[in-house]
C-alpha cells in the first residue's frame, strides 16, 4: 500500500515520475518481453532507489511483465491502470501470511480448552523484546484477558527487574480492585542462572492452575551463531510447544531484519533435536518511530 501511495504522490512525480517511463509501451502491436525489458529495468532501478528491496523489486517487475505480455495497449491510461493492478496483486501475494494469526480469537479458543495461550518472544540482543512484550500485555488486558509474564531471560542483568517494572505499571493502569481483587498481570520469575526451559514449563503449569488466559515468555537476546544459546532456545520451544513463536526485529535495520529472521530461523532448525522442529511463526517489528519510509518498503516486504 505504501508503494502504491508513493507511485501516485506528487512528491515522487506521480505519472510523470514512475509511470512516465511506460509511455513507450503504448502502441497497436501486442507487447513482448523484449519490448518491455528496457522499461522494466528502469522501473526496477526506480524502486531500488526508493528503498524497495532488490528481490522485491524484481518480483514486482516480473508481475508487471506477466500482466502486460501479449496485450495491446492503446493508451497511456490503460498501461498505467494495468501496471497498478499488477503491482497491487503482487504486493497482496507477497504480504499474504502462510498461516492465520488472529491472537484474540486463538486466546478465546484456548480458553474454551481450559488452557493458557502461550507466546514466546525471541530475537537478537537489544531489539526491544521485553518492552514490546509489555506493550502486547497492555493490548491483551485492554481486551479483557489476564496475563502471566514468564521471566525466562535468566542471563541479562536487570532483565527480571525490567519486567517487574512493566508489571507494576500495567497493574496501575488496571488496578486489581477493578478486577475482583486479582492483578491482571503477574510475573513468574525464579531469578538468574536457572534453566529457561524449566522456568517456562513451571510458568505454563502455574498459569493453567491459576486460570491465566495468556502466558508471555520473555527470552534472552542471542545471535544466531551462538550455539549454546540457540540450543537452549530450541530446547525451550521443543519442550513447551508454545502456540506462537514471535521473532522481534527492529525496523531501524530495514531489509536486514528479514535476513536476521531467515538466519535465526535456520539456526533454530539446526539446533533442534527434532526432525520436524518448531520454528518461528511471525515477526514483530519495533522502533518504527526512528525511521522514515525505508521500513515500509523494505522491512515488511
Amino acid at each position: 500500500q505504501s508503494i502504491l501511495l508513493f507511485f501516485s504522490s506528487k512528491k515522487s512525480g506521480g505519472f510523470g515520475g514512475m509511470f512516465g517511463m511506460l509511455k513507450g509501451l503504448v502502441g497497436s502491436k501486442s507487447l513482448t518481453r523484449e519490448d518491455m525489458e528496457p522499461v522494466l529495468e528502469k522501473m526496477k532501478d526506480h524502486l531500488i532507489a526508493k528503498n524497495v528491496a532488490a528481490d522485491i523489486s524484481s518480483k514486482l517487475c516480473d508481475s508487471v511483465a506477466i500482466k502486460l505480455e501479449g496485450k495491446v495497449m492503446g493508451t497511456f491510461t490503460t498501461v498505467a491502470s494495468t501496471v497498478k493492478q499488477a503491482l497491487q496483486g503482487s504486493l497482496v501475494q507477497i504480504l499474504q501470511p502462510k498461516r492465520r494469526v488472529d491472537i484474540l480469537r486463538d486466546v478465546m479458543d484456548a480458553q474454551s480448552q481450559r488452557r493458557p495461550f502461550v507466546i514466546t518472544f525471541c530475537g537478537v540482543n537489544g531489539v526491544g523484546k521485553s518492552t514490546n512484550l509489555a506493550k502486547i500485555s497492555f493490548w491483551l488486558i485492554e481486551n479483557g484477558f489476564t496475563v502471566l509474564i514468564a521471566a525466562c531471560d535468566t542471563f541479562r542483568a536487570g532483565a527480571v527487574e525490567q519486567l517487574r517494572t512493566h508489571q507494576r505499571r500495567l497493574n496501575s493502569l488496571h488496578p486489581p480492585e477493578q478486577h475482583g481483587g486479582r492483578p491482571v498481570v503477574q510475573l513468574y520469575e525464579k531469578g538468574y542462572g536457572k534453566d529457561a526451559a524449566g522456568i517456562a514449563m513451571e510458568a505454563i503449569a502455574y498459569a493453567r492452575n491459576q486460570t491465566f488466559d495468556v502466558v508471555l515468555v520473555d527470552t534472552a537476546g542471542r545471535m544466531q551463531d551462538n550455539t549454546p544459546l540457540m540450543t537452549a532456545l530450541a530446547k525451550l520451544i521443543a519442550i513447551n510447544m508454545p502456540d506462537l513463536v514471535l521473532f522481534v526485529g527492529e525496523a531501524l535495520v530495514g531489509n536486514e531484519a528479514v535476513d536476521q529472521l531467515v538466519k535465526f530461523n535456520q539456526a533454530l532448525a539446526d539446533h533442534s533435536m527434532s526432525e520436524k522442529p518448531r520454528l518461528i511463526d511471525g515477526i514483530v517489528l519495533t522502533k518504527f518511530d526512528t525511521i522514515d519510509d525505508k521500513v515500509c518498503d523494505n522491512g515488511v516486504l
Side-chain angles (χ1 to χ4, degrees):
Q1 202 171 38
S2 61
I3 294 175
L4 294 175
L5 288 171
F6 163 76
F7 287 159
S8 60
S9 67
K10 291 182 179 179
K11 185 178 178 181
S12 65
F15 286 125
M18 181 64 199
F19 292 120
M21 62 185 70
L22 302 173
K23 289 181 179 178
L25 299 180
V26 176
S28 56
K29 69 169 188 173
S30 61
L31 293 173
T32 64
R33 187 70 185 230
E34 290 73 25
D35 295 328
M36 294 182 283
E37 204 62 46
V39 177
L40 294 174
E41 281 300 316
K42 289 181 182 178
M43 184 183 292
K44 180 180 176 181
D45 293 342
H46 185 82
L47 290 168
I48 293 173
K50 296 301 179 181
N51 290 325
V52 180
D55 56 338
I56 300 301
S57 299
S58 297
K59 288 181 181 179
L60 291 173
C61 290
D62 287 341
S63 71
V64 170
I66 291 170
K67 289 285 186 181
L68 294 181
E69 193 167 8
K71 292 190 175 182
V72 177
M73 297 298 172
T75 66
F76 172 64
T77 304
T78 305
V79 177
S81 176
T82 304
V83 170
K84 274 188 176 181
Q85 290 175 5
L87 289 171
Q88 185 172 357
S90 183
L91 286 170
V92 169
Q93 184 178 10
I94 291 169
L95 294 171
Q96 188 72 32
K98 293 182 179 179
R99 59 162 287 183
R100 178 187 62 83
V101 178
D102 187 341
I103 293 177
L104 297 181
R105 190 167 76 173
D106 290 343
V107 172
M108 288 187 283
D109 287 344
Q111 279 181 325
S112 67
Q113 300 170 29
R114 299 182 181 277
R115 67 174 184 84
F117 185 81
V118 182
I119 306 176
T120 296
F121 295 81
C122 60
V124 301
N125 308 74
V127 296
K129 288 185 296 301
S130 301
T131 301
N132 282 273
L133 180 149
K135 292 179 179 179
I136 291 174
S137 295
F138 176 74
W139 174 65
L140 288 167
I141 62 178
E142 284 284 298
N143 280 278
F145 299 117
T146 54
V147 176
L148 180 69
I149 299 174
C152 295
D153 182 353
T154 61
F155 181 76
R156 177 173 64 89
V160 176
E161 289 75 14
Q162 181 184 9
L163 290 176
R164 188 176 292 120
T165 299
H166 288 314
Q167 176 215 7
R168 187 174 63 250
R169 291 177 175 172
L170 287 166
N171 282 322
S172 69
L173 294 172
H174 285 264
E177 53 268 24
Q178 296 180 4
H179 299 273
R182 176 183 176 178
V184 291
V185 180
Q186 290 188 38
L187 177 66
Y188 190 93
E189 56 95 2
K190 293 293 182 179
Y192 296 96
K194 306 289 179 63
D195 177 47
I199 295 174
M201 180 183 292
E202 292 176 15
I204 294 168
Y206 178 82
R208 183 180 289 107
N209 292 334
Q210 299 297 317
T211 63
F212 280 91
D213 300 317
V214 185
V215 178
L216 301 181
V217 180
D218 187 36
T219 65
R222 66 203 75 205
M223 298 301 292
Q224 63 270 8
D225 57 356
N226 188 319
T227 299
L229 287 181
M230 289 305 301
T231 302
L233 180 61
K235 175 186 173 184
L236 184 152
I237 294 172
I239 290 176
N240 295 288
M241 289 302 290
D243 297 282
L244 202 60
V245 180
L246 297 179
F247 177 84
V248 184
E250 57 182 0
L252 192 63
V253 299
N255 202 56
E256 183 64 25
V258 179
D259 296 333
Q260 281 183 353
L261 173 58
V262 171
K263 292 174 182 176
F264 201 94
N265 205 37
Q266 185 58 53
L268 199 57
D270 293 341
H271 291 91
S272 175
M273 293 177 287
S274 171
E275 293 183 0
K276 294 183 179 180
R278 181 77 165 78
L279 301 177
I280 294 167
D281 299 306
I283 183 170
V284 177
L285 282 177
T286 69
K287 305 181 184 179
F288 267 80
D289 56 341
T290 62
I291 44 80
D292 52 15
D293 66 331
K294 184 175 183 180
V295 67
C296 298
D297 299 336
N298 245 4
V300 174
L301 296 179

